[in-house]
Amino acid sequence: MQRDVGSVPLPPALRARLVSAGFQTVQELLETGPCALSKETGISKEEALEVLQVVRQECHGDATRTAARSGASRKCTALELLEEEQAQGFIITFCSALDNILGGGVQLTKITEVCGAPGVGKTQLCMQLAVDVQIPECFGGVAGEAVFIDTEGSFIVDRVVDIAAACVQHCHLIAEAHQEEDHLKALETFSVESILSHIYYFRCRDYIELLAQVYLLPDFLLEHSKVRLVVVDGIAFPFRHDFEDLSLRTRLLNGLAQQLIIIANDHKSAVVLTNQMTTRIGPSQSTLVPALGESWGHAATVRLIFHWDNSQRLATLYKSPSQKESTIPYHITSHGFRDVQPPAVTQNAEGAEMNPRKRPRREEEK
């Protein structure tokens, strides 16, 4: 049964405009984009976005209540929750140190936010994850697909080709070492071309396009059920300009966060967001903090902060419900996101390790 527009909790003036423009049911609103709704009703684009936001939340609430009445919603124990949590997969990063502090990698059904200054490697990690999510299950992957929403124009497809080629080569080396039938069979369809064809790219140039894309994403995911990663690179850029009404910005961001949480849970996907850093001026000193304010900090389940120590890149796990705060080094190489390799150990001619504090014995001293 279709719901009437008049039953949606909107201001009376907005409801009157929607009805006078010819909108009778909620379904008719959902089939209209924010720009078209703004033109047809004479309201601003911001108001149109808020209307669609409220309508979608109401529809999701109706579906939840219907499921509860039908018995689909059930009570569960903490043990069952633990088992479900442990059954969720991880997307590896190809940096074992980062995977370790995350508890195994970037977890499905969770929102992970990666904050950092420009050039520190946030987009590199996102492109790496868009490749790694497609690793076949027999190699320890989740055999999924990726959605990449780009707001800054930082997605470089040539770079993705390099990362994908390194990933495919790595899997080939594993297959050659183990010679297992399922490995060889999986590699028949795991190629650079197949990886690129399963990264769905969307370019959003302002916050209107970003919000519209995120709110339309559930329909896209119903048609592409293998998607296990949604990347928004970056979340802050569209919201840092052209906003005189900060309370409106906060409401839109809260709605966006709520929608991303629904996507992560309903579609068993990892959601990865990148965020910029901004300067907070204190009474005695200034510090760099993630953008969008403290209220936005509650949106993500896991927060990573990438930063520099001289010329070394570091990743700090700043927020996690299950892992302790940790900092690890990482490298960006031609193959992608990788561990920092320890320096090579110098060996003498007989193969023994040299002690740098001990003077080597000359032949005549023996």
Side-chain angles (χ1 to χ4, degrees):
M1 186 176 71
Q2 291 190 335
R3 184 169 172 179
D4 189 75
V5 167
S7 66
V8 179
L10 292 168
L14 268 181
R15 281 205 304 267
R17 286 208 178 195
L18 293 173
V19 172
S20 62
F23 292 99
Q24 299 297 326
T25 66
V26 165
Q27 187 61 34
E28 291 172 349
L29 285 173
L30 293 176
E31 291 171 355
T32 308
C35 293
L37 184 62
S38 172
K39 286 182 180 178
E40 291 188 38
T41 58
I43 61 178
S44 67
K45 289 181 180 178
E46 289 83 356
E47 288 176 316
L49 274 171
E50 282 202 272
V51 167
L52 294 176
Q53 218 171 313
V54 170
V55 168
R56 283 191 174 275
Q57 288 170 1
E58 284 294 307
C59 288
H60 187 268
D62 288 347
T64 302
R65 287 188 288 273
T66 300
R69 283 195 296 268
S70 65
S73 179
R74 60 181 180 83
K75 294 180 181 178
C76 59
T77 65
L79 178 60
E80 289 171 329
L81 284 175
L82 176 63
E83 290 170 349
E84 286 180 13
E85 189 87 3
Q86 292 174 341
Q88 297 299 336
F90 293 89
I91 306 171
I92 63 168
T93 65
F94 267 85
C95 175
S96 60
L98 183 57
D99 289 339
N100 288 338
I101 68 170
L102 289 172
V106 176
Q107 190 172 1
L108 303 184
T109 73
K110 297 290 187 287
I111 296 182
T112 301
E113 183 184 29
V114 184
C115 311
V120 78
K122 303 186 298 296
T123 301
Q124 296 289 325
L125 176 60
C126 291
M127 292 188 290
Q128 181 75 59
L129 291 171
V131 171
D132 295 349
V133 72
Q134 303 183 49
I135 295 174
E137 291 179 350
C138 60
F139 290 101
V142 298
E145 298 174 351
V147 167
F148 201 107
I149 300 174
D150 182 10
T151 70
E152 300 182 8
S154 302
F155 184 85
I156 308 298
V157 72
D158 289 342
R159 181 63 178 143
V160 179
V161 170
D162 293 341
I163 295 171
C167 181
V168 171
Q169 182 185 20
H170 180 79
C171 291
H172 273 283
L173 292 174
I174 294 175
E176 289 172 9
H178 295 279
Q179 292 294 322
E180 294 183 12
E181 186 179 348
D182 55 344
H183 286 175
L184 299 174
K185 187 175 181 180
L187 288 176
E188 292 175 4
T189 56
F190 188 62
S191 63
V192 173
E193 290 76 15
S194 72
I195 290 172
L196 295 178
S197 65
H198 293 113
I199 299 175
Y200 305 107
Y201 176 79
F202 300 91
R203 179 73 169 96
C204 297
R205 291 170 175 79
D206 56 38
Y207 73 92
I208 301 282
E209 291 185 2
L210 173 60
L211 289 167
Q213 185 57 58
V214 170
Y215 279 99
L216 292 173
L217 203 53
D219 297 333
F220 179 86
L221 296 179
L222 287 176
E223 298 174 5
H224 299 82
S225 59
K226 293 185 69 177
V227 169
R228 291 293 175 268
L229 173 69
V230 175
V231 172
V232 182
D233 181 37
I235 196 72
F237 186 73
F239 289 98
R240 298 193 72 179
H241 308 284
D242 303 326
F243 264 103
E244 295 179 2
D245 186 352
L246 291 181
S247 64
L248 171 62
R249 187 184 84 159
T250 300
R251 290 199 304 273
L252 292 176
L253 281 170
N254 288 342
L256 179 63
Q258 198 170 27
Q259 180 70 5
L260 291 171
I261 291 170
I262 291 170
I263 288 170
N265 287 321
D266 289 357
H267 299 277
K268 300 292 185 279
S269 298
V271 174
V272 176
L273 317 172
T274 67
N275 193 0
Q276 300 171 350
M277 303 294 281
T278 188
T279 304
R280 176 187 290 165
I281 307 297
S284 58
Q285 63 178 359
S286 60
T287 55
L288 279 176
V289 296
L292 300 180
E294 291 185 2
S295 62
W296 174 256
H298 300 288
T301 313
V302 177
R303 175 176 266 183
L304 287 165
I305 296 183
F306 287 2
H307 52 104
W308 293 93
D309 182 12
N310 295 322
S311 60
Q312 177 61 64
R313 290 178 168 95
L314 298 175
T316 296
L317 180 61
Y318 184 78
K319 174 189 174 185
S320 171
S322 58
Q323 305 296 317
K324 66 179 181 179
E325 184 173 327
S326 305
T327 299
I328 56 98
Y330 64 93
H331 269 176
I332 306 296
T333 72
S334 59
H335 297 309
F337 206 88
R338 293 295 186 272
D339 284 291
V340 173
Q341 296 299 323
V345 178
T346 307
Q347 295 187 336
N348 60 17
E350 297 177 355
E353 292 186 3
M354 292 286 288
N355 186 338
R357 297 186 180 183
K358 189 174 181 180
R359 180 174 61 86
R361 294 174 63 191
R362 294 192 295 271
E363 190 66 31
E364 60 269 20
E365 293 177 351
K366 295 182 180 179

